[in-house]
Structure formats: structure tokens, C-alpha cells
Amino acid sequence: MSSNDLTRRISTLIQQHEAVILAEWIANLQALSFRSDAASDEQLRRHCSQFLALLPAAVQSEGFDSIDGRGYDELRDLLSEISTQRARQGSTPSETATYVFSLKQPLFGAMRTALASEPEVLAEASWSITALIDKLGLYTIEIYQKSRDQIIARQQQELLELSTPVVKLWQDILALPLIGTLDSARTQVVMESLLEKIVETGAAIAIIDITGVPTVDTLVAQHLLKTIAAARLMGADCIISGIRPQIAQTIVHLGVNLEDVMTKATLADALVVALARVGASVTRNAA
């Protein structure tokens, strides 16, 4: 049988047995403990129905050799939507791929029924469908992995932003408490957050508190100096607080030049200096 005849036979077969294939496919997925709530069941039925509606036309148009042709565009778009949704919902790669691979059994069942009297055609059709479903299944894994990578990258960015809050302590005074290690990526977020807040508030003083930074090496010191220089360009002076004895010794041993930067041991000390610079002060009322 020619390739065109085979694609036409299989395409017609899927259309004729679509209802039976769909019912068995959904039953297989539900037996594999796919999402069991009503909304997920409805979504599963909709996706499976759309897939089976698009598959015959794609096969008829492009055959089985590749799923990259334009005839498979809509089917690939649907699989991309499904894979992305499953990545967001926390499904595993195996669950995502099984969505497509579980279609083999109902398809083979329909072909055995329709081609029982043509064993050679049945064998050829089974092999072609197997190869096609494998390609589509692998495509879902690729899209799933890309989606997961994007989700992880976005979450990492959000965590970086959450870990570098810029707080308004007083009129014209900001504080940036740092916790954890400073690397190049985090320093960029720190700098952007601080500069945006300076522009937003018009602050004149920014206190960078490094009490929560475990160690200060040459790279960390350079990152701090870059942040301070950037803040100065925006019209704000910086004070570094949280200089513990060990960090002070490390800075001296490293030969890092902080002579033109105000440093204080605690955030409270830095706040007193900042208040004085903006012409304010805090006094304790007599008991």
C-alpha cells in the first residue's frame, strides 16, 4: 500500500471510530489517576476531543514522517497548551507524556477491528501510528521542560526581589537589609530595587545593612561599591551598617577601600547618622 493510501485509510479510520477511541482514551487516563475533580475532567475531555478532531487532518496533510509541517501546527499548538498547563499544575513529565502515549491502546484497538482481514496493512498502520504517537509524546516533554524552566526562572527572580526589600525608614531615608550571599545576579536586583525606590521617594540617604550577609569577600565588596556608586549618581548617599568584627577584619585584609563610605556597626547607629544628615533627630521622653 502506498504512503498516501495508508495515511488516507488511517485518517478515515480515526474519524469513523472517533467516539469509541475518545471514550476508551479518557477511561485510560482516568484509570491512571489523572485529575479527578469535575473541572479537570471537563478539561481533559475537551483536550482529548480537540486532539482527535485535529489528528486525522494532520495525518492526511503531512503523513507520519515528521510533525514539523504546517499540517501539524494546530495539533502542536494544542499540545503546547496542554503541556504548559500541566507544568503549571505540578504534573510530572511522565504524566504529561502519558497523556499522548495512552492514546496508542484505543487506536490499536480500532485498527484491529477495522483491519482484521488485512494483516499486512494492520502491521504497517500500527508501526506508523506508533512512530507518530512517540513523536507527539516527545514533543509534549520538550514543551513541558521549557515551561518548567520558565516557571523556575520566574520563581527565582521573584525570590530575589522578595529577598531584597527596600524599606522607607524616615522621610528621605531608605534601608536595604541584605540577607545571604551576594552574587552578580542578586547584586543587579539589589541595585535596580534601590535605584527605583530612590527615584520613587526622592530619598537622600540609603542605609545598606549587611548584618545578614555571612561573609564579605572581594567580590561582595565590589558589588557593594557598585551599588553605592549607582545610588550616588541618583543623588543619594549610602551608609553601610552591620559591620561585625570578623567582617571588618576581612575587609582590612582584603585591602578594600571604604574610606569614602560611612560605615556603622548597627542599623540603629546608621539611622542616627542618617537622621542627623537630613536635619532630624529622635529623643527619648523622660519617664
Side-chain angles (χ1 to χ4, degrees):
M1 178 179 291
S2 68
S3 176
N4 289 338
D5 289 340
L6 182 64
T7 56
R8 184 167 55 254
R9 287 285 299 274
I10 293 178
S11 177
T12 302
L13 186 152
I14 294 172
Q15 290 174 322
Q16 291 174 342
H17 296 80
E18 181 178 337
V20 175
I21 295 172
L22 178 62
E24 187 177 347
W25 186 19
I26 293 174
N28 289 345
L29 291 173
Q30 291 175 334
L32 292 169
S33 300
F34 271 66
R35 313 292 173 176
S36 58
D37 57 276
S40 297
D41 283 346
E42 177 60 30
Q43 184 183 77
L44 181 65
R45 292 178 180 277
R46 178 169 55 83
H47 283 160
C48 291
S49 180
Q50 289 175 335
F51 186 98
L52 282 180
L54 294 172
L55 182 60
V59 169
Q60 181 68 36
S61 173
E62 300 290 342
F64 304 100
D65 293 336
S66 173
I67 63 170
D68 297 328
R70 296 187 62 181
Y72 281 96
D73 284 352
E74 290 186 72
L75 197 56
R76 289 198 310 273
D77 289 343
L78 176 62
L79 289 178
S80 296
E81 176 189 339
I82 294 170
S83 299
T84 301
Q85 285 184 357
R86 293 192 178 279
R88 291 172 179 167
Q89 292 169 351
S91 298
T92 66
S94 296
E95 288 176 339
T96 304
T98 299
Y99 167 79
V100 176
F101 291 141
S102 61
L103 177 59
K104 287 183 180 181
Q105 184 176 346
L107 279 176
F108 291 163
M111 287 190 297
R112 281 197 302 269
T113 300
L115 303 175
S117 61
E118 302 174 81
E120 292 185 1
V121 176
L122 175 60
E124 189 176 355
S126 298
W127 175 255
S128 298
I129 282 293
T130 296
L132 176 62
I133 297 299
D134 286 346
K135 291 185 181 76
L136 294 171
L138 291 175
Y139 179 79
T140 63
I141 295 178
E142 291 176 5
I143 299 300
Y144 172 92
Q145 190 58 53
K146 289 179 182 178
S147 299
R148 287 297 299 167
D149 290 344
Q150 291 172 356
I151 291 171
I152 291 171
R154 185 174 67 251
Q155 290 174 339
Q156 289 176 336
Q157 181 66 23
E158 290 171 352
L159 286 174
L160 280 175
E161 293 172 355
L162 288 173
S163 65
T164 55
V166 182
V167 183
K168 184 176 180 180
L169 291 182
W170 204 272
Q171 185 68 32
D172 296 330
I173 300 175
L174 300 176
L176 175 60
L178 298 177
I179 299 174
T181 304
L182 282 176
D183 56 18
S184 298
R186 190 173 179 212
T187 300
Q188 185 64 32
V189 175
V190 167
M191 189 181 301
E192 290 175 359
S193 299
L194 180 59
L195 297 182
E196 287 175 3
K197 199 69 174 181
I198 289 172
V199 172
E200 178 186 333
T201 63
I205 304 292
I207 301 173
I208 301 176
D209 184 72
I210 62 172
T211 304
V213 178
T215 58
V216 174
D217 55 18
T218 304
L219 187 59
V220 171
Q222 289 176 348
H223 290 329
L224 287 174
L225 291 175
K226 288 179 181 178
T227 302
I228 292 168
R232 283 177 174 170
L233 289 174
M234 300 300 296
D237 285 332
C238 290
I239 302 173
I240 297 179
S241 65
I243 304 291
R244 303 189 301 278
Q246 299 89 337
I247 290 181
Q249 292 178 33
T250 301
I251 290 175
V252 171
H253 289 318
L254 292 174
V256 177
N257 183 12
L258 294 177
E259 292 180 0
D260 59 342
V261 180
M262 174 69 72
T263 60
K264 288 295 177 181
T266 67
L267 179 59
D269 294 337
L271 179 58
V272 171
V273 173
L275 288 171
R277 287 191 178 183
V278 298
S281 63
V282 177
T283 59
R284 179 179 297 177
N285 293 329

